[in-house]
Amino acid sequence: MGADHDGNLPRDATVADYLVARLAEWGVHRYYGYPGDGINGMTSALQRAQGRARFIQVRHEETAGFAAGAHVKYGGGPLGCVVVTSGPGAIHALNGLYDAKLDHQPVVALLGHTALPAEGGGYYQEVDLLSLYKDVASAFLAQLDDPSQARHLVDRACRTALARRTVTALVLPSDVQDLPAVPHPPHAHGYYHTSAVPSSEPTVPPEADVRRAAEVLRGGERVAMLVGQGALGAEDEVRRIADRLGAGVATALLGFTAVDHRQPWVTGAIGLLGSRPSWQLMRECDRLLIVGSQMPYSEFYPPEGQARAVQIDIDGTRMGLRYPTEVNLTGDAGPTLRALLDELGPGPGPTAWRATLADATGKWRASQREVAAQPAEPVNPQSLFTTLDDALPDDAMLAVDCGTATAWYARHVRVRPGMLASLSGTLLSMGGGMPYALAAKFAHPDRPVIALLGDGAMQMNGVNELITVAKYWREWPDPRFVVLVLNNRDLAFVSWEQRSGEGTPMFPDSQDLPDVAYHRWAEVLGLGGELVDSPDRVDGLWQRVLDADRPVVVNAVVDPAELMLPPHFTVEQARKTAAAVLRGDSDRAGIVRRGVPAALATYRPRRRGR
């Protein structure tokens, strides 16, 4: 096949060939998906494009959606891409795509569909995809019915996904994929000739607005910063402005890697799974600077009227949604913070406030390590995270699932510069940890990845996606892919929500999980397996698995009664938890053994002014 006069596209190229070539101009070279006849044209085109594009076959289309968003989060490329077949394939992908949408990751979904002549006839797998996807891909959704549309539809889908940091989708009838490509639509009425050059983004707000923000922040004696994923890539600027303002810094989980958590002025995670110092930071501050975060729990911000606030975000529509800010700066975090630093001028911020925060943070971290070292039955899950923190390689990548694993990660793992870490931050979907780990590993096959999962998430899709690990791991230059499974036979996070929120005991019919030998399943697949069923097996665990010559699954049999309490545990929550225990909770003995009275005393609400 000869190439056309524009480059690499063959003269007899199909629409699918052209889609792959045009998406490559937008930086798409990796496609997550699962095959089916609705996308046979696309998979054939990807086969012909080997070396320029890669199809990653996962076990389920939901994983493809998760992995496409995580591909961007871990720096695999500017755009994630999903390619799935018609009907059930497109339906399966929705959950992972909603994760990308809610966490503002640019993803293009390519959806196979019924051939044009059969549409409307009740054909096999015929689903109204334009209706089904109108929410998740509300920014841009279109069906490609004519080859001359391919160029402008790809360009609009990619441009919109990047500009609005969201999910877009193209519906591809199966017969249209195999029609001859039209890379150059006619110069005639009703045709478009679009560009594959990304649009520029706002960088720095107007100087007058930056000056107003500096005036608000300059007079603060107790400055708090909240940083989220919008601050990623601006780590140096965050540190410099925190030093200039004498601020303490709390982090949303999506922004965890924007700061060095070893610093005494970094109070750690905020929210239900956050730290006591972050709660104190917000309860006592007189100024608040929010950088790239939309953390939704309003009770974790300062009470209204307590602090004067400034917000920085690239999306002007999302300003002032969580706290009544005085100045809203629309722009990239890095250049906006640099402009703000110039306007603030030299000089360190209040040192007494930082000393107070450092003292609180140091005591909190010490107390959490003490809790992690307490005996449990059989293994204290928190001990696995403190020892992980001590053993993490500098270039580690972390993928965290939703549940108690998130809580222990937030409280014990001190992420530092050079590491990558993420999770389903807004959708809070179980089942994201393994797809995230896969995407991280494909983005950086020469770096170690560690997936932190509960047994519920492992049973949901982890056991299946471990097959994907077994399929691909031998091609990775660094084979380290560690999966920690917290095996407590309980959907523990929900059990604790029931106790503290409803005052009801753990409901075994709903919460009990089968006990699975996850390490044995790994061995069946040719991977490594580690059983941790006693505290002595924790010693040296991370060194053993990180020295392994293949991926390893750690089956950690942990205590289901391990207490998971928020940093602002209220009297009402304490009353309901105690009521659940008294009503005959199946974990009653374990909860009492793990020390409810001591825990409630530790988390007693702190009075203002003390």
Side-chain angles (χ1 to χ4, degrees):
M1 293 189 295
D4 71 8
H5 67 277
D6 280 340
N8 295 323
L9 195 67
R11 293 191 181 94
D12 55 351
T14 66
V15 168
D17 291 319
Y18 179 70
L19 292 174
V20 172
R22 194 67 173 182
L23 285 163
E25 294 189 53
W26 286 94
V28 176
H29 301 284
R30 187 174 297 126
Y31 297 73
Y32 287 95
Y34 200 82
D37 63 352
I39 54 166
N40 277 348
M42 284 299 303
T43 51
S44 295
L46 288 168
Q47 183 179 24
R48 291 190 288 270
Q50 283 184 355
R52 293 176 287 115
R54 179 86 185 275
F55 181 84
I56 304 297
Q57 182 206 78
V58 294
R59 302 308 102 208
H60 193 282
E61 290 91 350
E62 179 186 55
T63 295
F66 276 126
H71 168 85
V72 183
K73 287 185 174 184
Y74 288 95
L79 270 170
C81 192
V82 172
V83 56
V84 293
T85 193
S86 54
I91 294 168
H92 285 164
L94 278 171
N95 190 59
L97 291 172
Y98 268 107
D99 176 61
K101 177 179 180 175
L102 269 59
D103 279 356
H104 307 289
Q105 301 304 309
V107 171
V108 175
L110 305 177
L111 315 172
H113 193 40
T114 305
L116 283 176
E119 285 186 22
Y123 200 72
Y124 287 112
Q125 298 188 335
E126 184 179 2
V127 173
D128 185 353
L129 295 181
L130 292 175
S131 295
L132 182 68
Y133 270 70
K134 68 180 179 180
D135 180 46
V136 73
S138 58
F140 185 75
L141 169 65
Q143 180 167 313
L144 198 165
D145 289 337
D146 186 279
S148 64
Q149 295 177 288
R151 176 172 161 183
H152 78 260
L153 291 185
V154 168
D155 291 347
R156 284 201 65 193
C158 293
R159 186 182 311 283
T160 303
L162 288 167
R164 299 191 183 178
R165 300 197 63 80
T166 192
V167 173
T168 59
L170 296 179
V171 177
L172 309 176
S174 59
D175 56 334
V176 176
Q177 297 171 40
D178 289 321
L179 293 176
V182 181
H184 305 290
H187 186 68
H189 182 73
Y191 294 94
Y192 299 104
H193 304 85
T194 51
S195 164
V197 178
S199 305
S200 64
E201 295 182 347
T203 54
V204 182
E207 184 178 341
D209 292 338
V210 176
R211 186 177 304 115
R212 286 176 54 226
E215 291 170 357
V216 169
L217 295 170
R218 190 178 287 116
E221 292 296 322
R222 300 182 305 280
V223 182
M225 290 178 63
L226 169 59
V227 301
Q229 67 172 339
L232 299 178
E235 292 83 0
D236 184 61
E237 289 84 355
V238 168
R239 178 190 56 77
R240 288 170 58 202
I241 203 157
D243 287 341
R244 170 60 185 84
L245 296 172
V249 178
T251 60
L253 289 177
L254 285 174
F256 229 46
T257 57
V259 293
D260 185 344
H261 287 257
R262 299 169 299 181
Q263 295 294 332
W265 44 268
V266 175
T267 60
I270 193 170
L272 291 171
L273 306 182
S275 73
R276 183 75 190 181
S278 290
W279 171 257
Q280 178 182 345
L281 175 72
M282 294 296 166
R283 300 300 291 180
E284 298 180 4
C285 68
D286 62 6
R287 299 290 190 277
L288 173 62
L289 174 59
I290 305 169
V291 183
S293 175
Q294 293 292 325
M295 194 277 295
Y297 298 122
S298 60
E299 68 270 30
F300 288 93
Y301 289 87
E304 186 172 359
Q306 172 187 298
R308 302 180 68 187
V310 172
Q311 186 167 2
I312 298 171
D313 203 291
I314 200 166
D315 184 351
T317 68
R318 301 180 65 79
M319 302 287 199
L321 295 180
R322 313 302 186 195
Y323 191 80
T325 47
E326 287 188 44
V327 183
N328 295 315
L329 302 176
T330 303
D332 288 337
T336 302
L337 288 172
R338 289 195 294 272
L340 185 57
L341 276 166
D342 291 342
E343 196 63 49
L344 284 167
T351 56
W353 171 238
R354 271 204 161 177
T356 298
L357 295 174
D359 180 65
T361 301
K363 289 177 178 176
W364 163 264
R365 291 174 179 168
S367 70
Q368 292 303 292
R369 290 187 77 89
E370 290 174 6
V371 170
Q374 292 175 355
E377 188 60 45
V379 174
N380 187 330
Q382 300 191 63
S383 68
L384 294 158
F385 288 77
T386 56
T387 53
L388 171 62
D389 181 58
D390 294 335
L392 274 176
D394 289 338
D395 61 346
M397 302 184 292
L398 296 162
V400 189
D401 217 296
C402 183
T404 54
T406 320
W408 311 142
Y409 159 75
R411 295 186 179 184
H412 294 301
V413 178
R414 294 171 299 169
V415 175
R416 54 188 184 268
M419 294 181 181
L420 295 171
S422 199
L423 71 167
S424 176
T426 309
L427 188 61
L428 301 175
S429 176
M430 284 177 62
M434 280 290 282
Y436 272 47
L438 284 165
K441 195 65 174 179
F442 279 109
H444 306 284
D446 57 345
R447 296 176 63 170
V449 65
I450 300 163
L452 306 172
L453 281 66
D455 47 2
M458 189 64 177
Q459 292 182 17
M460 183 173 284
N461 64 6
V463 291
N464 292 331
E465 294 308 332
L466 206 60
I467 300 172
T468 308
V469 176
K471 175 181 172 68
Y472 289 107
W473 75 268
R474 288 177 179 82
E475 70 180 54
W476 297 329
D478 185 331
R480 290 177 292 177
F481 189 111
V482 181
V483 181
L484 172 66
V485 184
L486 300 179
N487 182 2
N488 56 18
R489 295 76 61 206
D490 177 18
L491 290 171
F493 194 100
V494 179
S495 294
W496 280 109
E497 287 178 324
Q498 285 182 328
R499 293 174 182 123
S500 63
E502 300 292 328
T504 58
M506 192 272 271
F507 181 31
D509 289 356
S510 165
Q511 302 304 110
D512 276 354
L513 292 173
D515 187 6
V516 176
Y518 304 103
H519 61 298
R520 296 295 187 200
W521 173 231
E523 291 169 351
V524 167
L525 295 173
L527 310 178
E530 279 267 349
L531 175 63
V532 177
D533 56 358
S534 65
D536 63 291
R537 293 294 297 165
V538 177
D539 296 335
L541 167 69
W542 294 108
Q543 192 63 49
R544 292 195 301 273
V545 298
L546 288 170
D547 284 345
D549 63 353
R550 65 194 60 214
V552 179
V553 173
V554 178
N555 180 15
V557 184
V558 299
D559 196 332
E562 186 66 11
L563 297 169
M564 190 191 68
L565 304 175
H568 71 308
F569 199 58
T570 66
V571 173
E572 178 64 12
Q573 288 172 320
R575 183 190 66 76
K576 288 182 176 180
T577 302
V581 174
L582 293 173
R583 287 172 184 162
D585 195 295
S586 60
D587 282 335
R588 175 178 179 175
I591 294 170
V592 173
R593 169 175 46 78
R594 294 298 290 130
V596 168
L600 298 185
T602 299
Y603 285 89
R604 183 177 294 122
R606 187 175 188 271
R607 293 181 181 177
R608 294 290 306 280
R610 291 184 62 185

